[in-house]
Amino acid sequence: MAIRRILRIDDAEDRKILKMQCRPVKLPDRNLKQLVADMFETMHAANGVGLAAPQIGIPIQLCIIEIPPEYEEQPDGSLIEVNPAEPYVLINPRIVKTSGEEIMRDEGCLSLPGWYGMVPRQTWVTVEFQDLSGKHHRLRRADGLLGWAIQHEVDHLHGILFTERIRDLSTLRDITKEREAQPVEAKA
């Protein structure tokens, strides 16, 4: 596995690739398994939830998502995993149905690290996709973090950046600067 360089929205050359309409993946493809492993490693290294192939310079219809595990604190202070991480590999995904109802979400992107803005997204989506073996799947009414991530990553496959979805650009902010501006508490 290898960590790949994530292309940046604010780099003119990278942006050209990020704005491309991605081509469908022809399956089966022996090289995809390694590419997917690299994408998961890259996404984990960047502390992300999703990553689309164009973000690492490959304009194909492939994206990955991993919903983080959920933990519950025990009375003794220890944590136990109550829901494991949920990894998804979506090849040639198509959103085929939406809720028709929007919700505003604070959204960021690995291609613009540290920046977040309020983005309208559907409350749920139904997506059709293929897995690595080429088998067709339908994920119905994906909501919450999964539904939001699917919409964000599928946008990447069509050259749409989250910053283009922001209706009020005053909500776009660099949270690393917000953290730096917070007063540091004295440590005893």
Side-chain angles (χ1 to χ4, degrees), residues 115-176:
W115 287 83
Y116 286 80
M118 295 302 290
V119 176
R121 295 286 183 192
Q122 296 292 308
T123 56
W124 60 261
V125 294
T126 295
V127 64
E128 293 178 347
F129 62 96
Q130 291 173 275
D131 63 21
L132 283 166
S133 67
K135 185 176 176 190
H136 289 268
H137 297 272
R138 177 181 276 230
L139 187 56
R140 295 183 194 318
R141 295 177 68 102
D143 61 1
L145 182 57
L146 178 59
W148 161 61
I150 288 169
Q151 292 173 75
H152 180 103
E153 300 310 329
V154 169
D155 270 358
H156 272 299
L157 304 181
H158 298 287
I160 301 167
L161 306 173
F162 89 106
T163 51
E164 297 166 328
R165 295 267 187 211
I166 297 173
R167 291 184 183 145
D168 178 359
L169 284 175
S170 72
T171 68
L172 185 62
R173 69 211 184 281
D174 182 352
I175 66 162
T176 57

Side-chain angles (χ1 to χ4, degrees), residues 28-99:
D29 182 333
R30 292 180 299 168
N31 301 316
L32 274 187
K33 196 171 187 179
Q34 182 61 53
L35 175 59
V36 166
D38 289 354
M39 288 175 69
F40 273 105
E41 187 172 1
T42 301
M43 181 185 71
H44 291 149
N47 295 313
V49 171
L51 186 67
Q55 289 181 276
I56 57 167
I58 303 170
I60 61 172
Q61 292 182 18
L62 163 66
C63 59
I64 61 164
I65 295 168
E66 186 172 282
I67 303 304
E70 291 180 32
Y71 296 93
E72 199 172 87
E73 189 171 350
Q74 299 303 295
D76 67 0
S78 65
L79 296 176
I80 62 163
E81 188 176 274
V82 291
N83 285 317
E86 297 177 54
Y88 295 87
V89 176
L90 289 81
I91 301 170
N92 301 322
R94 288 183 323 115
I95 294 174
V96 295
K97 193 171 186 182
T98 66
S99 66

